[in-house]
Amino acid sequence: MTNVGPVKATRETLYTADRAELYDNRDRLVRDQWVKIMKLRIVREKLTECYHREGVNHMQNCRELAERYLRDLPGAQIGGRPPHLKDE
């Protein structure tokens, strides 16, 4: 998947922007969020398999997957507002 760049529609241009562009941007944001969530789900499933497979040694042998899961978790959540409109 190619990155098409930042979202062009902002709060200031929201009411004057082309509707097709707004819908395309919204669809791209939703698609990107779902890709992140599905990648995180795969990592979580691998971590669960590793935990069951390794038994008592899971803390040593599954550390890399656990760290990756914790690192990617904050960025893979569905937000109520698009990232370009947050903190305004």
Side-chain angles (χ1 to χ4, degrees), residues 11-71:
R11 182 175 275 186
E12 292 79 24
T13 62
L14 183 62
Y15 299 107
T16 60
D18 183 34
R19 284 192 183 270
E21 182 181 350
L22 287 174
Y23 291 140
D24 289 343
N25 288 333
R26 183 192 61 192
D27 291 344
R28 183 176 52 84
L29 286 172
V30 170
R31 186 174 48 248
D32 290 345
Q33 287 175 342
W34 275 107
V35 167
K36 288 179 184 178
I37 290 170
M38 292 302 121
K39 285 181 180 180
L40 189 67
R41 181 181 287 181
I42 292 170
V43 172
R44 185 178 62 223
E45 289 171 356
K46 288 181 180 180
L47 181 61
T48 303
E49 291 173 10
C50 181
Y51 175 79
H52 291 296
R53 182 181 62 239
E54 297 299 330
V56 295
N57 296 326
H58 72 276
M59 292 188 76
Q60 296 169 345
N61 298 338
C62 303
R63 177 179 297 270
E64 184 177 310
L65 284 171
E67 289 174 352
R68 180 176 174 192
Y69 182 76
L70 290 175
R71 183 186 69 233

